[in-house]
């Protein structure tokens, strides 16, 4: 078997010879009118370039993207014409004047690209080349080609590839005789036939195991030698033709895209461009250069879904190099691709996410992708909903992973609910990255009020930052912890990772000269949020010694931190901690003990007067909580603080919208010990009574009723008035009560117009206190007027309210049947004269047992031994007291009402008329209630129940005298 040898072709077939032959053939084909045609084309090019410049100038003025794009397209088409003209051989121009048009100097090989190459074997072209005067008609041809099969100069075309072969003809010499395909490595065999190297080697290999001679596949001559000679010239020409063919195909496809006559044209052009983009990098570079990449971005808004899909796939190919990514980044392709992520078509979604994945490989586009509205939100939704589309979810995760390289995108991901990147970079990143992530966390929680659930590793790293020595890092970590701890679920994690001892150390022990106040304030905020979250303070350890939050060590330090000269946010956080702790019995006792022992109440009172409303509210609430335990101590400090009672009165009675601060201050005055004479006298001297009455009248008239603070504000105002009735033994207080007719004021509040049970209860309590003084204040009637007393009791009851607001003159004096003297609502606080009986009896129908009890206590003041009980019972019987009291006893079967109800019942049985007695004894529930009270009531209740049972003949009467008679 002969060996196969390979040699290079002779230098006679050099590239220069081939190019010269092509030059001569092209010159012969030049038409006689080429000079006129060239003049026209170059004039048109000059004019078109001028129009393009004007379009661009106009576009820059109006900043219209579409006009700029159109101008760019026009320029690209003109450049194509210019390039085609440059390929015409120089011999065709002669010495005409139009040669003055500037033409770029190009190498010989570039100038010959339009010529028809000839094979060294002398073969003719397989198709006819496009004539010179056919070039201007190419655009019209492409417009009509996709409507129907188009005949152009006797040639039929249906595809862009046929057009390309018509312009850049394929020659028989390029075709391998064995494969009938264009050769890539042409070699000449012994018979003179040129074949592709690989094909002829495979052909010869078939004869390797055979004794038959090798025949030429074309001439069928016997081959004595298997030597193959490389046809370097032909190979070079084929390579040139291939490159020229591909370039022409790119340009024709670009022209077809620009025309966009039909969807079919666009789709075939995109398909052609995809094939060319896959072949070689230079084709992609040409597409970038002539505007294909930029034009494809506009096709993403096309109405045809198939065009959008194919454009995405081609863009994905063109984005594989940095130049393509840079061009795409300057268009609207990214924003349009984001829209396609929500497409109903799975293929389109996958193409869009694949395109984004390719773009995200470029560091320059990360910010562009992340800042596009909705991009990260849609990507995170895709990733999190992996069950809907696993492929899209995986690619979306890859895109997000690339986007993490831009720190700002991590923030966008957190805003979209995807927190893992932020937390992972916070834990694993460098100190600079950690600081940036901490800043993002703080911004997200504080400025955007985003709820973030932190994991254990994030909590640990933040606590570790606080323990560090870098002031900036510590400050940032404390700041973000203060924000994160606002979300209650995070506090359990913070406690588990040891945040409480670190915060306690910041507050009680650690002192850094550069940052004591800010660190303490933030640490106190974190601790306040943790304590308020509902953790168990009895088991929360604060230091190595085993102290807990409720121990005296902790509370003592908290109380002693309250100072007026400390920042408001620090004082506020400490007050919040104490308020949360005092909600529990054990720490409440400790707080009371510490304040009582160390006289720290004055600091809280001073903070109550702070101009910062939230701080004033916290201090006031703490005082309200402590008032039942150290109320007199608080009052003492309050009165000793110069001008404090006057400030309170002024703040509470300030006209306008009812604020939370006004309501809280009014509540404090109502909760402080009622029998503290010093405070009550101070309030009277500071004009509290008229101020409270004006405020009550404003609320009753509708001012501030819509405010949610109206009810507690009203309760505080009424409570402040009622507290004065507890110290009527003070001349100043008694005079104020008389001057402002408190009995009538409280009577009006019984009807429930204020809309609060507590207001009714307080009014009843105040009337009770006032009524106890009526017997003492009632004046004996003048002797000369005694005989004029002819009014009946019923008339007295009907006219009592009318007389309550009038001054009692001598000729109008009426003797009160209950107090046996001259009474009036203002002077003696008589309940009959004030018309309070109907209101008090109406309170017995209230569902609130405390209101019923207060009303019964006020009614019982009229059944006291110092008054005329018989007349009182008669007055009450006229208002159906028996039925109402028994109904209240039936509705509220609690021990607290037994004594007062039985007291009224006993008086009705002792002093009531027959109708009243029958009504009481006829009630079937009364014996059962009496028996229950006799079994479980206190000593006084048992005695009253026993007495009534005896009257009902339910128990033996041990006081009766029995006479023994013997027979």
């Amino acid at each position: 078997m002969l060996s196969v040898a390979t040699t290079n072709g002779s230098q006679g077939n050099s590239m220069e010879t081939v190019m010269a032959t092509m030059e001569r053939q092209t010159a012969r084909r030049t038409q006689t009118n080429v000079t006129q045609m060239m003049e026209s084309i170059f004039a048109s090019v000059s004019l078109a370039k001028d129009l393009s410049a004007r379009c661009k100038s106009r576009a820059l003025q109006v900043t219209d993207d579409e006009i700029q794009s159109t101008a760019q397209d026009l320029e690209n088409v003109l450049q194509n014409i210019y390039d085609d003209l440059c390929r015409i051989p120089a011999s065709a121009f002669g010495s005409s004047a139009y040669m003055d048009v500037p033409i770029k100097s190009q190498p010989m090989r570039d100038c010959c690209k339009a010529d028809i190459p000839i094979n060294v074997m002398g073969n003719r072209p397989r198709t006819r080349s496009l004539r010179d005067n056919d070039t201007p008609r190419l655009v019209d041809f492409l417009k009509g080609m996709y409507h129907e099969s188009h005949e152009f100069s006797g040639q039929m075309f249906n595809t862009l590839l046929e057009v390309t072969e018509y312009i850049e003809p394929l020659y028989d010499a390029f075709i391998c005789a064995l494969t009938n395909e264009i050769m890539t490595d042409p070699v000449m065999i012994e018979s003179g036939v040129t074949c592709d190297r690989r094909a002829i080697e495979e052909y010869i290999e078939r004869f390797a195991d055979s004794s038959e001679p090798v025949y030429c596949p074309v001439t069928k001559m016997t081959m004595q030698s298997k030597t193959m000679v490389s046809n370097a010239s032909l190979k070079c020409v084929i390579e040139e033709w291939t490159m020229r063919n591909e370039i022409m195909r790119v340009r024709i496809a670009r022209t077809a895209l620009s025309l966009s006559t039909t969807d079919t044209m666009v789709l075939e052009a995109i398909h052609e461009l995809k094939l060319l983009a896959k072949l070689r990098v230079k084709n992609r570079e040409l597409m970038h250069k002539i505007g294909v990449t930029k034009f494809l971005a506009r096709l993403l808004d096309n109405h045809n879904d198939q065009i959008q899909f194919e454009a995405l796939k081609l863009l994905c190919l063109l984005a594989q190099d940095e130049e393509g990514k840079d061009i795409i980044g300057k268009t609207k392709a990214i924003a349009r691709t984001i829209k396609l992520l929500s497409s109903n078509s799975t293929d389109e979604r996958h193409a869009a996410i694949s395109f984004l994945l390719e773009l995200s490989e470029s560091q320059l586009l990360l910010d562009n992708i992340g800042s596009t509205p909705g991009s990260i939100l849609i990507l995170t939704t895709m990733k999190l909903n992996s069950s809907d589309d696993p492929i899209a979810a995986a690619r979306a995760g890859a895109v997000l992973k690339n986007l993490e390289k831009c720190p700002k995108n991590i923030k966008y991901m957190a805003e979209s609910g995807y927190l893992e990147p932020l937390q992972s970079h916070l834990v694993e990143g460098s100190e600079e990255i950690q600081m940036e992530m901490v800043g993002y966390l703080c911004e997200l929680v504080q400025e955007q009020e985003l709820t973030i659930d932190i994991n254990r590793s994030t909590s640990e790293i933040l606590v570790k930052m606080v323990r560090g020595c870098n002031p900036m890092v510590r400050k940032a970590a404390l700041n973000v912890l203060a924000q994160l701890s606002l979300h209650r679920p995070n506090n359990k994690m913070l406690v588990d990772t040891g945040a409480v001892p670190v915060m306690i150390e910041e507050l009680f022990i650690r002192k850094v000269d550069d940052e004591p106040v800010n660190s303490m304030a933030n640490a106190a905020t974190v601790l306040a949020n943790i304590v308020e979250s509902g953790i168990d303070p009895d088991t929360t350890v604060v230091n190595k010694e085993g102290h807990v939050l409720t121990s005296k060590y902790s509370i003592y330090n908290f109380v002693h931190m309250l100072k007026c000269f400390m920042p408001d946010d620090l004082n506020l956080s400490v007050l919040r901690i104490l308020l949360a702790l005092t909600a529990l019995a054990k720490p409440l006792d400790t707080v009371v003990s510490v304040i009582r022992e160390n006289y720290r109440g004055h600091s809280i009172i001073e903070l109550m007067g702070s101009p910062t409303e939230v701080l004033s509210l916290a201090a006031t609430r703490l005082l309200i909580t402590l008032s039942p335990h150290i109320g007199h101590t608080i009052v003492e400090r309050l009165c000793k603080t110069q001008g404090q009672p006057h400030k309170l009165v002024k703040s509470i009675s300030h006209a306008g919208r009812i604020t939370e601060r006004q309501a809280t201050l009014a509540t404090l005055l109502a909760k402080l010990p009622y029998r503290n004479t010093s405070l009550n006298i101070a309030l009277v001297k500071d004009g509290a009574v008229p101020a409270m009455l004006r405020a009550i009248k404003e609320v009753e008239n509708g001012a501030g009723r819509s405010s949610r603070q109206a009810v507690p504000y009203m309760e505080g105002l009424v409570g402040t008035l009622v507290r004065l009735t507890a110290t009527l033994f003070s001349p100043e207080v008694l005079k104020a009560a008389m001057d402002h007719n408190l009995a009538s004021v409280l009577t009006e509040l019984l009807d429930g117009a204020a809309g609060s049970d507590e207001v009714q209860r307080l009014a009843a309590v105040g009337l009770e206190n006032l009524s106890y003084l009526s017997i003492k204040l009632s004046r004996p009637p003048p002797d000369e007027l005694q005989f004029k007393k002819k009014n009946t009791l019923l008339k007295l009851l009907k006219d009592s309210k009318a007389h309550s607001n009038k001054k009692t003159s001598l000729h109008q004096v009426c003797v009160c049947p209950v107090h046996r003297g001259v009474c009036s609502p203002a002077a003696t606080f008589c309940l009959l004269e004030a018309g309070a009986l109907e209101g008090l009896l109406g309170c017995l129908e209230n569902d609130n047992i405390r209101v019923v009890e207060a009303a019964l206590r006020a009614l019982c003041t009229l059944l006291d031994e110092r008054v005329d009980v018989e007349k009182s019972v008669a007055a009450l019987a006229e208002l159906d007291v028996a039925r109402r009291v028994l109904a209240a006893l039936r509705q509220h079967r609690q021990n607290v009402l037994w004594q007062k109800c039985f007291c009224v019942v006993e008086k009705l049985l002792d002093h009531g008329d027959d109708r009243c007695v029958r009504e009481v004894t006829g009630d079937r529930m009364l014996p059962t209630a009496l028996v229950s009270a006799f079994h479980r009531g206190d000593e006084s209740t048992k005695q009253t129940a026993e007495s009534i049972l005896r009257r009902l003949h339910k128990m033996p009467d041990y006081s009766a005298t029995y006479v023994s008679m013997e027979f």
Side-chain angles (χ1 to χ4, degrees):
M1 179 65 66
L2 295 174
S3 61
V4 180
T6 303
T7 61
N8 292 327
S10 65
Q11 297 299 321
N13 292 326
S14 62
M15 189 65 187
E16 288 76 5
T17 304
V18 175
M19 293 303 175
T21 304
M22 294 165 61
E23 177 78 15
R24 287 193 299 272
Q25 290 190 354
T26 304
R28 284 197 301 268
R29 293 195 305 271
T30 304
Q31 301 297 320
T32 56
N33 62 345
V34 69
T35 301
Q36 292 80 6
M37 184 267 292
M38 291 302 164
E39 288 178 348
S40 175
I41 289 177
F42 274 89
S44 299
V45 169
S46 299
L47 178 60
K49 282 186 173 289
D50 182 57
L51 291 174
S52 175
R54 292 183 186 181
C55 285
K56 281 191 173 182
S57 174
R58 180 63 177 170
L60 291 173
Q61 293 177 8
V62 299
T63 64
D64 188 340
D65 183 63
E66 293 298 328
I67 296 179
Q68 292 187 27
S69 178
T70 303
Q72 183 63 43
D73 292 340
L74 176 59
E75 185 174 358
N76 291 335
V77 174
L78 293 174
Q79 185 63 39
N80 292 342
I81 298 174
Y82 180 78
D83 291 344
D84 291 337
L85 291 173
C86 290
R87 288 159 35 189
I88 298 176
S91 59
F93 293 94
S95 58
S96 300
Y98 62 80
M99 285 301 296
D100 295 335
V101 177
I103 300 178
K104 298 178 182 178
S105 176
Q106 300 182 18
M108 179 65 182
R109 184 173 299 178
D110 294 335
C111 293
C112 297
K113 287 182 179 179
D115 300 335
I116 302 176
I118 63 170
N119 187 265
V120 294
M121 303 300 295
N123 297 90
R124 298 298 299 169
R126 303 179 70 192
T127 56
R128 188 188 66 80
S129 64
L130 188 67
R131 298 195 306 269
D132 297 318
N133 58 358
D134 289 335
T135 303
R137 299 161 60 190
L138 177 59
V139 172
D140 293 334
F141 162 69
L142 288 173
K143 286 183 178 179
M145 187 180 68
Y146 286 88
H147 293 292
E148 57 183 353
S149 183
H150 187 74
E151 182 175 357
F152 189 73
S153 300
Q155 195 74 23
M156 301 296 294
F157 302 102
N158 291 294
T159 65
L160 291 177
L161 182 59
E162 293 180 4
V163 177
T164 305
E165 291 185 356
Y166 185 76
I167 298 174
E168 291 290 341
L170 178 64
Y171 297 90
D172 293 335
F174 297 171
I175 305 301
C176 176
L178 291 174
T179 63
N180 202 31
E181 295 178 357
I182 298 174
M183 294 178 286
T184 59
D185 188 6
V187 293
M188 187 181 299
I189 59 177
E190 181 185 7
S191 61
V193 176
T194 301
C195 300
D196 193 67
R197 181 186 299 278
R198 182 177 179 182
I200 193 62
E201 288 178 347
E202 292 177 354
Y203 176 78
I204 294 174
E205 187 67 25
R206 292 203 297 266
F207 294 91
D209 299 331
S210 174
S211 58
E212 296 181 9
V214 179
Y215 297 98
C216 173
V218 177
T219 64
K220 304 302 180 182
M221 296 171 54
T222 302
M223 296 175 56
Q224 300 299 327
S225 173
K226 297 180 180 179
T227 302
M228 291 177 287
V229 180
S230 294
N231 195 337
S233 298
L234 182 58
K235 180 179 180 181
C236 186
V237 171
I238 291 175
E239 289 176 352
E240 284 291 328
W241 178 88
T242 301
M243 294 293 295
R244 189 166 57 249
N245 178 271
E246 291 177 3
I247 291 172
M248 185 56 66
R249 288 168 65 185
V250 170
R251 292 185 180 279
I252 291 176
R254 173 63 178 88
T255 304
L257 283 179
S258 301
L259 296 175
S260 301
T261 305
T262 63
D263 291 347
T264 306
M265 175 188 288
V266 175
L267 287 171
E268 184 173 349
I270 294 175
H271 179 71
E272 180 78 356
L273 290 169
K274 274 199 302 182
L275 294 177
L276 295 167
K278 292 177 181 178
L279 284 176
R280 64 187 81 253
V281 175
K282 287 188 176 181
N283 291 339
R284 296 199 294 268
E285 293 175 352
L286 177 61
M287 293 178 196
H288 299 326
K289 181 180 178 181
I290 66 175
V292 172
T293 308
K294 186 176 180 181
F295 188 84
L296 288 171
R298 283 185 281 166
L299 291 181
L300 297 181
D301 276 339
N302 196 280
H303 65 281
N304 191 315
D305 294 342
Q306 185 64 25
I307 290 178
Q308 291 179 342
F309 173 67
E310 295 295 338
L312 277 172
K313 294 177 69 175
L314 178 53
L315 278 172
C316 195
L317 291 173
L318 297 177
Q320 291 178 1
D321 54 77
E322 286 300 319
E323 183 182 1
K325 291 182 175 69
D326 182 60
I327 294 173
I328 292 170
K330 295 177 182 178
T331 67
K332 297 180 179 179
I334 294 177
R336 291 162 179 165
T337 305
I338 297 301
K339 294 180 181 179
L340 296 179
L341 290 177
S342 302
S343 172
N344 294 326
S345 172
T346 304
D347 292 338
E348 196 167 39
R349 282 201 311 273
H350 290 178
I353 193 65
S354 298
F355 179 45
L356 275 183
L357 180 58
E358 187 65 45
L359 294 179
S360 66
E361 299 292 339
S362 172
Q363 185 72 27
L364 299 176
L365 296 182
L366 295 179
D367 183 64
N368 194 343
I369 297 173
S371 59
T372 301
S375 59
I376 290 182
L377 177 60
I378 296 175
L379 289 170
T380 53
T381 304
M382 272 187 173
K383 175 178 172 57
L384 297 177
N385 298 333
S386 57
S387 59
D388 297 341
D389 191 343
I391 296 176
R395 294 176 185 173
V399 175
L400 291 171
K401 191 66 178 177
N402 290 335
L403 293 179
E404 289 180 24
K405 299 172 186 176
C406 178
K408 190 178 293 185
N409 290 335
I410 298 176
K411 175 187 173 184
Y412 297 150
M413 293 178 197
E415 290 175 351
S416 300
Y418 183 43
L419 298 170
E420 286 80 359
L422 190 149
Q423 298 194 22
S424 63
H425 281 73
L426 177 61
V427 175
E428 302 169 2
S430 62
E431 183 174 325
E432 182 180 355
I433 292 295
Q434 287 179 338
M435 284 288 295
E436 196 167 7
M437 295 302 106
V438 166
Y440 286 157
L441 269 177
C442 187
E443 181 181 348
L444 290 170
V445 178
Q446 184 176 8
E447 297 181 7
Q448 302 187 22
E449 298 183 0
L450 185 67
T451 300
I452 296 178
D453 293 310
I454 58 173
N455 54 32
R456 186 177 187 86
S457 57
T458 302
S459 178
E460 288 175 348
I461 194 65
L462 290 173
V463 173
K464 183 179 178 181
M465 287 180 178
V466 176
R467 286 199 181 104
C469 298
N470 188 323
M472 293 183 62
V473 174
R474 293 181 64 252
K475 180 180 179 181
L478 280 169
N479 195 18
V480 74
L481 281 174
Q483 302 303 324
L484 291 174
S485 59
L486 290 171
H487 184 45
R488 292 199 169 191
N490 288 336
N491 292 312
K492 179 65 168 60
M493 184 65 68
L494 292 175
V495 173
D496 293 341
T497 53
V500 173
V502 176
M503 300 303 115
I504 291 292
E505 182 179 353
E506 286 290 327
L507 286 174
F508 299 162
I509 301 174
R510 185 164 185 165
K511 302 295 180 184
V512 182
D513 294 337
D514 295 337
E515 43 165 354
V517 175
N518 289 338
S519 297
M520 291 174 64
N522 285 330
T525 301
V526 174
L527 201 57
N529 292 337
I530 290 176
V531 175
E532 288 178 345
S533 66
I535 64 164
D536 185 3
D538 290 325
T539 59
T540 305
V541 180
V542 299
N543 57 19
K544 296 179 180 179
E545 286 74 20
H547 292 128
V548 295
L549 280 172
T550 55
S551 64
K552 192 169 184 177
Y553 163 80
S554 301
I555 293 177
Y556 178 88
N557 282 283
F558 285 137
V559 172
H560 277 261
M561 289 185 70
L562 293 173
K563 298 179 179 65
C564 293
F565 57 83
M566 297 297 283
D568 287 351
D569 51 354
L570 176 59
N571 282 326
L572 174 61
S573 297
V574 174
L575 286 171
R576 289 172 55 202
I577 294 171
L578 292 174
L579 273 170
L581 293 176
T582 52
L584 304 175
K586 181 181 176 181
L588 174 60
D589 294 339
T590 307
V591 172
V592 169
S593 174
V594 170
I595 292 178
R596 183 179 286 133
E597 291 174 3
N598 297 275
Y599 304 101
R600 303 300 300 179
H602 65 280
S603 297
I604 305 175
I605 292 173
E606 290 177 357
L607 292 174
M608 182 182 66
S610 170
T612 304
E613 183 173 357
V614 64
L615 180 59
S616 173
L617 282 173
T620 307
R621 290 195 183 101
L622 182 58
L623 291 174
I624 291 172
T625 303
L626 298 175
S627 60
H629 308 277
I630 52 172
H632 290 287
T633 303
I634 295 173
V635 170
E636 181 184 357
R637 295 294 177 183
L638 188 65
C639 293
K640 286 185 177 181
T641 303
Q642 187 175 4
Q644 189 64 57
H646 178 70
K647 291 180 181 178
L648 282 176
V649 173
K650 185 177 180 181
S651 299
I652 294 172
S653 58
H654 181 70
R657 185 180 64 88
I658 301 173
T659 65
E660 188 177 3
R661 184 174 185 176
Q662 287 177 301
T664 308
L665 290 174
T667 303
L668 174 63
L669 283 181
K671 296 294 183 182
L672 290 173
Y674 276 13
R675 293 188 175 275
N676 192 289
T677 309
S678 301
L679 178 59
N680 290 351
I681 292 176
L683 291 174
V684 170
K685 290 182 177 180
D686 290 330
V689 178
M692 299 299 111
L693 291 176
R694 282 195 302 271
I696 290 173
K697 188 60 67 177
E698 289 178 1
V699 175
E700 288 180 335
N701 292 336
R705 278 286 186 90
S706 59
S707 172
R708 60 188 179 90
Q709 304 298 331
V711 172
Y713 180 61
M714 187 68 170
E715 292 173 356
L717 294 175
V718 177
T720 303
L721 290 179
V722 171
R723 69 172 298 110
L724 300 178
T725 64
T727 56
L728 292 172
F729 50 82
S730 169
E732 295 90 340
V733 177
L734 179 60
K735 183 177 184 304
M738 290 179 174
D739 291 344
H740 296 92
N741 196 2
L742 287 189
S744 297
V745 172
L746 295 176
T747 298
E748 293 177 0
L749 294 173
L750 287 174
D751 61 2
S756 170
D757 291 345
E758 181 64 13
V759 170
Q760 288 183 298
R761 187 193 72 82
L762 290 171
V765 171
L767 290 172
E768 177 191 1
N769 294 336
L770 293 172
S771 182
Y772 275 121
L773 279 182
S774 294
I775 187 66
K776 180 180 179 181
L777 297 175
S778 181
R779 294 180 290 111
D783 293 339
E784 63 272 21
L785 297 177
Q786 284 290 345
F787 67 94
K788 295 182 179 181
K789 179 61 178 175
K790 297 181 180 179
N791 292 334
T792 63
L793 182 60
L794 182 59
K795 184 176 183 302
L796 175 63
L797 292 174
K798 291 181 179 178
D799 296 341
S800 60
K801 189 171 183 179
H803 286 291
S804 62
N805 294 323
K806 297 179 181 178
K807 293 183 179 180
T808 304
S809 59
L810 185 63
H811 64 279
Q812 292 176 330
V813 171
C814 297
V815 177
C816 175
V818 176
H819 299 109
R820 305 185 187 94
V822 179
C823 290
S824 69
T828 66
F829 315 125
C830 179
L831 298 185
L832 271 72
E833 291 292 333
L837 296 187
E838 182 64 39
L840 290 172
L841 289 172
C843 290
L844 298 182
E845 300 174 1
N846 198 297
D847 294 333
N848 191 328
I849 190 173
R850 300 182 69 231
V851 176
V852 177
E853 179 193 11
L856 284 172
R857 293 174 66 91
L859 290 171
C860 286
T861 60
L862 298 177
L863 302 176
D864 190 86
E865 295 178 353
R866 297 175 299 168
V867 302
D868 192 332
V869 179
E870 186 174 348
K871 297 294 179 60
S872 293
V873 169
L876 292 172
E878 290 291 335
L879 299 174
D880 201 12
V881 66
R883 181 187 60 79
R884 294 186 178 188
V885 170
L886 292 173
L889 184 62
R890 184 179 296 105
Q891 183 179 1
H892 305 283
R893 301 186 180 186
Q894 286 90 347
N895 297 347
V896 68
L897 294 181
W898 283 347
Q899 184 176 4
K900 295 301 178 182
C901 285
F902 294 160
C903 176
V904 175
V905 169
E906 185 179 24
K907 298 298 183 182
L908 292 177
L909 290 175
D910 290 342
H911 303 283
D913 55 14
D914 293 340
R915 182 180 64 83
C916 188
V917 172
R918 284 196 305 271
E919 189 171 358
V920 172
T921 56
D923 189 83
R924 292 179 294 177
M925 185 276 305
L926 181 60
T928 304
L930 291 169
V931 171
S932 298
F934 185 74
H935 288 162
R936 300 192 301 272
D938 56 22
E939 192 63 29
S940 177
T941 303
K942 283 184 178 181
Q943 292 179 1
T944 307
E946 182 181 358
S947 176
I948 299 174
L949 286 171
R950 191 176 295 114
R951 291 290 303 272
L952 297 176
H953 306 290
K954 301 294 182 179
M955 290 187 68
D957 188 356
Y958 299 107
S959 62
T961 303
Y962 296 96
V963 179
S964 177
M965 298 182 65
E966 296 182 0
F967 297 93

